[in-house]
Amino acid sequence: MGILSEFKEFAVRGNVIDLAVGVVIGASFGKIVTALVDQIIMPPIGMLIGNVDFAELAITLRAATLDAATGEEIPAVTIGYGIFINTLIQFTIVAFAIFLAVKFINRLKRKQAEAPEPAKPAEPSEEVKLLREIRDSLRPQP
């Protein structure tokens, strides 16, 4: 089997399509969570702790300066820990959402596993067996 035909077989398998759909939905979900954290969650938290914009929180290692020779501005060197805090919150939300999805899927699997097996007919009691033997012995023989 040539490599091209193997690749074709691999690419048209259902799992690859499912994976592609999952990646696209995951990327969209990431954008939604980013917007949720940046635009909805963090502004009230920043307001509660003194009108702080978390995206602007940073430690300045070197301030912005002007180059004496060219007059161009040399940008500041900063550690943006506010953006890191936003990213941690986004990660927590995504991880929690995935946890809930996995928990839901596991619950469905457990219910499926706990489903009762089809009931097989119960074994007749000894009295019923004895009565059947008596009935069969009383039938007229050909």
Side-chain angles (χ1 to χ4, degrees), residues 11 15-16 20 26 28-29 32 36-37 39 54 60-62 66 70 81 95 107-109 113 128 130 139 141:
N15 294 343
V16 173
S28 298
F29 184 69
I32 292 169
L36 174 72
V37 170
Q39 305 301 321
F54 276 81
T60 303
L61 300 176
R62 186 182 71 200
L66 287 176
T70 62
Y81 67 91
R107 183 179 302 151
L108 289 178
K109 285 183 180 179
V128 172
L130 183 60
R139 277 197 184 139
Q141 301 293 327

Side-chain angles (χ1 to χ4, degrees), residues 19-51:
L19 178 63
V21 170
V23 167
V24 170
I25 290 175
S28 298
F29 184 69
K31 290 179 182 178
I32 292 169
V33 170
T34 299
L36 174 72
V37 170
D38 291 344
Q39 305 301 321
I40 296 174
I41 294 176
M42 295 313 287
I45 292 174
M47 190 177 80
L48 286 174
I49 62 172
N51 291 329

Side-chain angles (χ1 to χ4, degrees), residues 96-109:
F96 186 68
I98 291 172
F99 166 75
L100 291 178
V102 169
K103 184 174 180 175
F104 177 72
I105 290 169
N106 286 341
R107 183 179 302 151
L108 289 178
K109 285 183 180 179

Side-chain angles (χ1 to χ4, degrees), residues 87-122:
T87 304
L88 283 177
I89 292 172
Q90 291 170 12
F91 171 77
T92 304
I93 291 171
V94 169
F96 186 68
I98 291 172
F99 166 75
L100 291 178
V102 169
K103 184 174 180 175
F104 177 72
I105 290 169
N106 286 341
R107 183 179 302 151
L108 289 178
K109 285 183 180 179
R110 257 187 260 121
K111 284 183 181 179
Q112 186 179 25
E114 292 173 358
E117 294 181 16
K120 48 185 176 179

Side-chain angles (χ1 to χ4, degrees), residues 6-18:
E6 283 184 52
F7 177 73
K8 181 181 174 186
E9 182 182 333
F10 169 77
V12 296
R13 234 185 254 159
N15 294 343
V16 173
I17 305 298
D18 293 343

